[in-house]
Amino acid sequence: MGGMIRFHNTLGGEVEDFVPIEPGQVKLYTCGPTVYDFPHIGNWRAYIFEDLLKRFLAFRGYKINHVMNITDVDDKTIRGAQARGVGLDEYTRPFIEAFGRDRDTLNILPADHYPRATAHIPEMVELVKTLLEKGFAYRRDGSIYFAIDRFPAYGRLSKINLEDLRPGSRGDADEYEKESVHDFALWKAPKEGEPFWETVIGPGRPGWHIECSAMSVKYLGKTFDLHCGGVDNIFPHHENEIAQSEAANGVKFVNTWLHCHHLVVDGEKMSKSKGNFYRLADVLAKGYDPLDVRYLLLSTHYRKMLNFTFEALDQARTARQRIGDFLGALKDVSGTATDGAPIDPLIEAARDGFVAGLDDDLNIAEALAAVFTLIKNVNPLLARGEVSKEEAAKVAAFFAEIDTVLAIKPSPTIAGSGKIAKGGYAASGTASVSGGGGISATGEALIADRQKARAAKDFATADAIRRELLAMGIVLEDAKDGVRWKKVGPPKG
Ligand code: AMP
Ligand code: ZN
């Protein structure tokens, strides 16, 4: 199954075959949250892209060692803690907890390690010491800086204009603009009211970039396979990580760099500082399923900009419902052998398309197209009663298989479905994908007839009625406590 996995490597800018250092094993580092605030869904786009990458590699048989750092000491966390008059630990704790909760809600697999910067001060100090000894770093006014002109490969990842390089000029801010390329702080002198550590390189606290170099080598080794983040991480953060690690270790830092494009709002990067952000809770408060959000963030190729709108979120919900309705119809199949078209080749074609798409630099659009083609091809067979129970189970098993990658858990019992109690029926609750309303009297009568047929074990009649309802746009799912119905509109988008 599948050929070679190919990824677009930011380092070099080409799509390349993916060859891990150790066969069958992938060492992955992804830059994690700066825990000075709650994450917004722009951050989640990055983490969901990384989750798709991970889940697909696992699907393709790789074992993954994934490290994600937690930045719990930097300019922003220190500022926040000061403003609240609490210690760093107390200040960052609720944001770390919220990160874990949202991650689980979005069906993102946890990393194998979540090293915190404040728990790795000795490792960072050791690395800065090495850089001083090797002559890549120098001291100035109690701080220690990386001298970028002593590292000739500086700028290779981000392809910054070398004319902008200003060797010898220094910056202390953790984040800075391309326009002022300069020596960056590895270790910062203590400041009034700021936390600091007494260490062998002097008192102070780490700059932002050093933690990722120190923690990746600890958990993954000097050279590892994949490193990810959003495109905003490329410069200066990842450029600086490469400089620190390669200068200290003398070997290549990372083989393949993958960066996802931004989630934007009206063309502007969703960010805390611009105020144009939504948190997961804001979106859920409007009645969306968290996995609708996951689907939306997942379904655009990671290297494309994604504009966030609620219309797009509605389309994501519709797409998940379409899959859920299909799964509901599969569950409802109770017939035996048929003489319809064989199902196996349809499933194989879908699996091939799904894998080939994701093999090609995680081309999710192609992968999803293969899935929806399967639905399109099987639906008329279902409507004509040409799918056996066994075949339906095979199709459902395929969906379970690909959901280990997509993790969008489409379920036929999603919000908005009406519920009919056992023994009678009451078409209570609103239905419909596309705007409300119950079902017609005819629909209700048909559902009641079908319940009677099922009670009498007349499954042929029950199935015939179900197909009739399907033709009316009403999908049924038999549940333990009765039957659920849902109206389906024509799929959008
Ligand atoms: P931060 O907490 O700001 O360090 O960001 C954590 C991760 O979220 C990084 O990988 C960023 O590149 C990513 N990120 C931040 N904003 C966005 C956005 N609007 N779209 C996509 N990724 C983002
Ligand atoms: Zn990092």
Side-chain angles (χ1 to χ4, degrees):
M1 171 184 71
M4 201 81 181
I5 298 179
R6 292 167 67 74
F7 291 131
H8 177 271
N9 190 351
T10 308
L11 187 65
E14 307 272 346
V15 177
E16 303 167 349
D17 286 350
F18 173 62
V19 183
I21 298 163
E22 277 176 60
Q25 311 261 338
V26 177
K27 296 189 184 80
L28 166 70
Y29 188 96
T30 61
C31 289
T34 304
V35 284
Y36 74 109
D37 203 341
F38 297 105
H40 55 69
I41 58 172
N43 301 124
W44 290 114
R45 182 185 191 198
Y47 306 141
I48 285 174
F49 139 67
E50 290 154 0
D51 191 52
L52 174 69
L53 168 72
K54 234 175 107 171
R55 285 172 172 276
F56 181 60
L57 287 168
F59 181 84
R60 294 288 263 107
Y62 290 101
K63 276 185 66 109
I64 297 134
N65 188 4
H66 176 205
V67 179
M68 178 183 266
N69 64 304
I70 306 276
T71 302
D72 60 353
V73 51
D74 81 318
D75 294 349
K76 289 188 274 195
T77 44
I78 289 173
R79 223 180 292 133
Q82 280 177 334
R84 204 164 290 171
V86 296
L88 268 182
D89 208 48
E90 187 179 340
Y91 178 72
T92 57
R93 189 179 304 121
F95 304 125
I96 295 173
E97 285 169 3
F99 170 80
R101 276 196 306 274
D102 283 7
R103 175 201 64 208
D104 294 344
T105 304
L106 287 166
N107 246 352
I108 295 172
L109 296 175
D112 299 282
H113 304 277
Y114 285 107
R116 290 169 59 161
T118 53
H120 292 76
I121 302 294
E123 287 86 346
M124 292 188 240
V125 166
E126 198 52 42
L127 182 53
V128 175
K129 208 166 139 255
T130 303
L131 290 169
L132 281 166
E133 285 162 6
K134 292 196 170 184
F136 288 100
Y138 61 91
R139 295 177 182 274
R140 193 64 40 96
D141 303 328
S143 291
I144 301 172
Y145 297 88
F146 189 96
I148 52 175
D149 63 342
R150 293 182 209 162
F151 185 74
Y154 196 82
R156 229 200 265 159
L157 179 76
S158 58
K159 301 181 191 72
I160 42 157
N161 187 349
L162 289 180
E163 280 168 22
D164 296 334
L165 281 172
R166 295 197 292 146
S169 70
R170 278 169 298 279
D172 290 292
D174 284 333
E175 293 172 88
Y176 56 94
E177 300 300 324
K178 263 190 188 182
E179 291 69 52
S180 55
V181 183
H182 49 54
D183 293 353
F184 59 93
L186 297 165
W187 189 254
K188 301 187 184 188
K191 273 199 207 133
E192 182 71 35
E194 282 194 0
F196 69 94
W197 285 261
E198 286 291 356
T199 76
V200 294
I201 54 170
R205 54 108 172 167
W208 171 33
H209 315 292
I210 196 75
E211 69 184 76
C212 291
S213 288
M215 301 194 297
S216 62
V217 72
K218 174 168 180 177
Y219 296 95
L220 299 175
K222 288 179 180 171
T223 306
F224 56 93
D225 301 297
L226 297 175
H227 195 315
C228 304
V231 287
D232 56 312
N233 284 157
I234 298 173
F235 188 88
H237 185 52
H238 289 164
E239 199 69 75
N240 293 353
E241 281 186 34
I242 294 174
Q244 296 164 154
S245 294
E246 297 193 354
N249 301 328
V251 293
K252 191 175 190 186
F253 177 42
V254 172
N255 285 337
T256 308
W257 291 85
L258 302 177
H259 292 101
C260 76
H261 212 309
H262 286 143
L263 183 69
V264 301
V265 181
D266 300 325
E268 280 214 83
K269 179 193 171 194
M270 182 177 284
S271 72
K272 183 77 208 322
S273 55
K274 293 203 187 83
N276 61 349
F277 63 94
Y278 290 96
R279 297 195 175 114
L280 183 58
D282 301 330
V283 178
L284 301 190
K286 291 179 187 278
Y288 291 92
D289 187 299
L291 299 185
D292 295 338
V293 179
R294 179 178 171 98
Y295 189 98
L296 173 66
L297 299 180
L298 188 84
S299 56
T300 293
H301 188 254
Y302 76 95
R303 286 197 289 121
K304 287 197 179 128
M305 201 186 269
L306 173 56
N307 191 36
F308 178 79
T309 63
F310 281 97
E311 263 166 37
L313 190 52
D314 288 338
Q315 282 169 17
R317 169 150 72 182
T318 304
R320 279 188 69 241
Q321 280 178 340
R322 234 179 118 195
I323 301 173
D325 295 341
F326 180 69
L327 295 183
L330 288 173
K331 261 176 115 174
D332 238 10
V333 170
S334 53
T336 49
T338 67
D339 50 10
I343 289 282
D344 287 353
L346 297 178
I347 297 176
E348 283 320 306
R351 184 181 287 109
D352 288 349
F354 183 78
V355 174
L358 292 175
D359 270 357
D360 177 20
D361 192 29
L362 298 177
N363 188 336
I364 187 71
E366 199 183 312
L368 289 173
V371 173
F372 283 102
T373 299
L374 178 66
I375 295 177
K376 210 179 95 204
N377 289 337
V378 174
N379 257 334
L381 305 180
L382 282 170
R384 293 198 299 267
E386 290 174 4
V387 179
S388 71
K389 205 176 163 64
E390 193 193 322
E391 286 173 325
K394 275 192 200 171
V395 179
F398 169 73
F399 274 83
E401 186 188 328
I402 59 167
D403 206 52
T404 64
V405 179
L406 301 174
I408 50 162
K409 282 206 170 59
S411 141
T413 54
I414 37 190
S417 25
K419 199 170 150 198
I420 295 166
K422 204 169 201 151
Y425 69 94
S428 62
T430 53
S432 168
V433 174
S434 50
I439 52 176
S440 65
T442 319
E444 285 186 13
L446 282 169
I447 292 174
D449 286 349
R450 182 171 169 279
Q451 289 294 80
K452 275 185 216 143
R454 280 175 64 88
K457 303 229 181 298
D458 180 2
F459 294 115
T461 305
D463 274 359
I465 296 175
R466 187 189 55 73
R467 288 199 293 275
E468 205 170 325
L469 284 162
L470 190 62
M472 292 166 60
I474 298 167
V475 171
L476 297 183
E477 193 219 1
D478 292 303
K480 273 205 192 83
D481 54 349
V483 62
R484 288 162 213 269
W485 56 261
K486 185 149 52 71
K487 276 184 19 182
V488 287
K492 285 187 221 164

